[in-house]
Amino acid sequence: FKTFTDLLTNYYPIISIFVIITFLLGLLIGRLFSLDKKFIYLITSATAICGATAALAISSIIKAKPNQISLAVFIIFLMNAIALALFPIIGRFLGLTDMQFGLFSALAIHDTASVIGSGFLYSDEAGEIATTLKVGRTIWIVPLIALIAFIENEKGSLNLKDLPQFIILFFIVIGISNIFTLPHQIYEISKLLSITFINIGIFFIALQSKIEQIDNPTSLIYPISLWITVVLISFVIVTSL
């Protein structure tokens, strides 16, 4: 528990500044591409905070069209797959430490499952660091929903149910594991199960992805440009600390 609180205490200010800068960059780049405001909100929220979860959380507030939502989710999943395949290789090539790679994954990858998967593909320690720091980024979904609701003049749009359930469960499990002394075998089994379910989730995500959903090249160029910018910023942050 001490390691968890120390990580969040030390890195939460950096994560918060990163989220705000990414959100503003997303809005700016989206406007430069002259894209629909709703699609910009979906991609920007996903890139800044927690991928498809953030995009889906605000979709009802901004009244996004079904095709905009499905396209945004597909592109996010596509970039997650690329990150999972390449980031551990790039991290080893660059000689990043477990701490550096864990932070890099937590900042540069969209969805929580992909952050965890990338981290544990690198090492157990990097996976634990990435998971913890990603939570610090994901809890920004609450002020995001409040901000979008305010901008769109949607009263009563902010609700506790909009908070992803895995965040609540994450803190509950942290409490249980620190209050009670669990057998070592439980930790090993839970670690194996977590990796297994992450891989199953990624597999079914891939099954839902259809390349024909991209009918406008700009709709693909925009999120990729934003993501590459975020990856570069993340790398500069990681190597500067």
Side-chain angles (χ1 to χ4, degrees):
F1 186 74
K2 185 177 185 297
T3 303
F4 172 80
T5 53
D6 285 348
L7 274 174
L8 278 187
T9 300
N10 292 334
Y11 288 95
Y12 191 70
I14 296 171
I15 293 171
S16 298
I17 294 171
F18 172 85
V19 167
I20 294 169
I21 290 174
T22 301
F23 189 79
L24 295 175
L25 271 175
L27 296 179
L28 175 62
I29 296 174
R31 292 295 175 87
L32 291 176
F33 279 103
S34 301
L35 291 167
D36 183 83
K37 182 179 70 172
K38 295 176 182 179
F39 184 70
I40 293 173
Y41 275 144
L42 292 173
I43 293 296
T44 297
S45 301
T47 307
I49 300 177
C50 55
T53 303
L56 293 172
I58 69 160
S59 61
S60 59
I61 300 174
I62 63 174
K63 297 179 174 58
K65 298 175 183 177
N67 66 312
Q68 291 176 319
I69 298 171
S70 61
L71 177 59
V73 171
F74 166 69
I75 293 172
I76 292 161
F77 288 155
L78 181 64
M79 292 187 287
N80 284 335
I82 293 172
L84 268 172
L86 297 182
F87 277 21
I89 297 172
I90 294 171
R92 289 192 178 92
F93 176 78
L94 296 174
L96 298 180
T97 65
D98 290 336
M99 182 67 237
Q100 287 177 321
F101 188 80
L103 177 59
F104 180 65
S105 294
L107 294 177
I109 301 177
H110 296 70
D111 280 290
T112 302
S114 299
V115 170
I116 297 171
S118 175
F120 278 107
L121 282 173
Y122 199 75
S123 72
D124 287 351
E125 185 178 350
E128 292 169 4
I129 291 168
T131 303
T132 301
L133 296 180
K134 178 61 175 177
V135 170
R137 185 174 154 204
T138 302
I139 58 179
W140 269 89
I141 196 170
V142 176
L144 168 73
I145 293 170
L147 175 64
I148 298 295
F150 175 77
I151 293 173
E152 296 297 311
N153 295 315
E154 286 283 344
K155 295 182 179 179
S157 295
L158 180 61
N159 195 304
L160 185 60
K161 68 180 181 181
D162 292 318
L163 186 69
Q165 292 182 357
F166 68 84
I167 296 180
I168 299 171
L169 292 173
F170 184 82
F171 282 103
I172 290 173
V173 172
I174 286 175
I176 292 173
S177 65
N178 284 277
I179 293 171
F180 304 101
T181 302
L182 301 176
H184 178 71
Q185 291 83 351
I186 297 295
Y187 291 107
E188 292 302 316
I189 292 172
S190 64
K191 187 179 294 185
L192 177 62
L193 287 174
S194 66
I195 297 298
T196 301
F197 284 120
I198 286 168
N199 286 321
I200 291 172
I202 293 168
F203 172 77
F204 282 107
I205 285 169
L207 287 181
Q208 300 174 56
S209 302
K210 298 183 183 297
I211 195 70
E212 60 264 25
Q213 289 178 305
I214 304 174
D215 55 0
N216 179 3
T218 309
S219 298
L220 181 60
I221 295 170
Y222 160 57
I224 290 178
S225 300
L226 176 59
W227 186 46
I228 290 173
T229 304
V230 166
V231 168
L232 293 175
I233 292 173
S234 301
F235 182 75
V236 170
I237 291 172
V238 164
T239 53
S240 299
L241 295 177

